[in-house]
Amino acid sequence: MSSPKEPRDLSSKHQLLSLVEANPFISQQDLADQLGLSRSAVAGHLAQLTKEGRILGRAYVLPQRQPIVCLGGTNLDRKLRGLGELQMGSSNPARQHESPGGVARNIAENLARLGLPVHFLTAVGRDAAGQALLAQLQALGVDCAGCLQAADAPTGSYTAVLDPRGELLIALADMALTDRLDPMFLRQTAPHRAAARWVVADLNLSRQTLDELRAEARVRGQSLLLVAVSEPKMAHLGEDLRGVELLVLNRGELQALTGRKLGSESALRAAWRQLREAGLKRLVMSDGARGLRFSEGDEFATMAPPDLDPRSVREVTGAGDAMTAGIAAALHRDPDDLRAACALGLKLAALTLQSDATVSEALSPALLAPPV
């Protein structure tokens, strides 16, 4: 049986939540004055609302303003594109383009250019490259508090060799610094992830780090999106996928993870069932010029890419990261509609294919506007 006090308490909590929504930085004393309550009563209501997940943290962060936390690699991208057919074992004329890179870093920049709140956690050197990479993200509004800055190691690098059509021939990556994003780093930066609804991490992270992230997501009720970086690093993921809301990878990476040849529809569906039984909730597989595949219940649905004039394609680096960012951005707004998220992901990938930069400067908040 309800006590007479409960309806009044419920009304006060609703009024308090409305005031916080109007001004997330309002003080407890101002709340008490406007509601005609004692400050201790306000503190009690705030504690209860925080426990319920309806507000978050000291500044009373509301769920729709929660940041997306990106965690993983950062490096300097150097792309060398041959001006003619490349001859192995010989010097080849090429054009060079240099830009910020790293899977998690690229996703963070894409999200920031879409106007979303982003917190980025990574490791860089205390060298010119590392400081420039952090400064560039901060200028876009990305919160980089908590990033590891090493005095004894250089910032990571990624060098890609492309053919005249922009297709990747070989890439060389020095990502040793990412190994320092270990479980101890996770524990030290745990407060920076506390307010997040989505955590996006790349598989440059170690097996131990990913295990801890999955456990943290389960305890906190957060959505963890993992994105693959290469076939060899699929071994970082392990067999227990409980705590992973969404995994994004390509066909080769899915084959490496499941140990299956994926040349048929039945094999693809079996691969999805295998990962689902391991605890994975949802799956997206990019499939090159064929678009992508995504889980839809028991099925593994297909989505074709947007029509794109082949002559407009500059090169492929960063397109997969843009796709992942588009998916994360859409799910941040509507966590249940994976189909719409994939459509936005393909749209962002197409824009990136038409750019020399790893992250297209054509991205803007307008891309998140619902269709008229």
Side-chain angles (χ1 to χ4, degrees), residues 5-337:
K5 185 180 177 182
E6 286 177 340
R8 183 181 174 189
D9 283 350
L10 189 61
S11 175
S12 296
K13 283 170 62 178
H14 283 301
Q15 293 176 50
L16 185 148
L17 192 59
S18 297
L19 290 172
V20 167
E21 186 168 14
N23 178 12
F25 298 97
I26 191 170
S27 70
Q28 288 190 9
Q29 189 59 58
D30 285 341
L31 287 169
D33 292 343
Q34 294 189 45
L35 293 171
L37 299 173
S38 67
R39 186 166 176 175
S40 61
V42 166
H45 286 319
L46 290 171
Q48 183 61 33
L49 288 166
T50 301
K51 184 178 180 181
E52 294 170 3
R54 300 173 72 186
I55 60 174
L56 305 163
R58 274 175 46 194
Y60 316 135
V61 181
L62 297 162
Q64 62 269 32
R65 295 173 185 160
Q66 290 173 261
I68 301 174
V69 173
C70 297
L71 175 63
T74 296
N75 49 260
L76 189 63
D77 275 358
R78 296 183 181 90
K79 289 174 278 188
L80 295 164
R81 183 168 179 169
L83 299 180
E85 292 303 317
L86 299 181
Q87 303 295 318
M88 302 304 293
S90 179
S91 176
N92 293 270
R95 184 175 70 249
Q96 177 174 295
H97 182 82
E98 197 170 274
S99 64
V103 172
R105 194 223 68 88
N106 293 345
I107 293 170
E109 181 179 344
N110 275 282
L111 292 169
R113 290 187 180 277
L114 292 172
L116 294 171
V118 184
H119 195 127
F120 184 44
L121 294 169
T122 192
V124 297
R126 286 186 184 169
D127 49 19
Q131 301 310 298
L133 288 166
L134 292 184
Q136 185 258 359
L137 285 177
Q138 289 167 332
L140 291 170
V142 176
D143 186 346
C144 295
C147 287
L148 187 156
Q149 300 185 50
D152 60 341
T155 297
S157 66
Y158 170 87
T159 302
V161 178
L162 311 170
D163 69 16
R165 294 169 293 281
E167 293 293 331
L168 178 67
L169 295 181
I170 191 171
L172 301 172
D174 176 5
M175 300 294 293
L177 201 52
T178 309
D179 292 340
R180 301 194 189 184
L181 302 177
D182 55 17
M184 181 176 291
F185 174 81
L186 279 189
R187 290 189 284 272
Q188 291 170 343
T189 58
H192 296 293
R193 296 186 300 281
R197 180 187 302 179
W198 283 88
V199 174
V200 180
D202 68 38
L203 295 191
N204 282 308
L205 301 174
S206 71
R207 172 79 169 268
Q208 294 76 18
T209 302
L210 291 168
D211 285 347
E212 189 142 331
L213 268 181
R214 289 189 300 101
E216 182 180 271
R218 293 199 303 269
V219 169
R220 290 180 169 178
Q222 291 173 322
S223 296
L224 177 61
L225 189 164
L226 296 182
V227 54
V229 297
S230 68
E231 292 180 27
K233 290 187 177 179
M234 295 311 300
H236 291 191
L237 191 51
E239 297 179 358
D240 183 358
L241 301 181
R242 291 174 300 164
V244 183
E245 174 66 31
L246 175 64
L247 175 62
V248 179
L249 39 55
N250 63 31
R251 185 180 286 257
E253 291 156 350
L254 180 57
Q255 183 166 295
L257 179 61
T258 60
R260 296 174 178 271
K261 292 184 178 180
L262 302 177
S264 68
E265 288 298 310
S266 61
L268 285 169
R269 287 194 296 271
W272 160 231
R273 286 196 299 271
Q274 177 182 334
L275 298 183
R276 193 176 188 182
E277 289 169 2
L280 180 65
K281 293 184 179 178
R282 292 186 281 185
L283 176 67
V284 171
M285 183 194 83
S286 61
D287 208 13
R290 289 171 287 195
L292 56 74
R293 310 295 296 264
F294 65 98
S295 58
E296 198 166 54
D298 293 329
E299 296 303 312
F300 205 37
T302 302
M303 184 173 290
D307 289 332
L308 196 63
D309 185 342
R311 294 171 296 181
S312 69
V313 175
R314 304 297 298 171
E315 46 103 347
V316 299
T317 307
D321 301 336
M323 183 193 78
T324 302
I327 292 170
L331 292 177
H332 183 66
R333 180 178 56 193
D334 183 352
D336 297 323
D337 196 345

Side-chain angles (χ1 to χ4, degrees), residues 357-368:
T358 303
V359 177
S360 172
E361 295 183 359
L363 270 58
S364 75
L367 290 167
L368 294 181

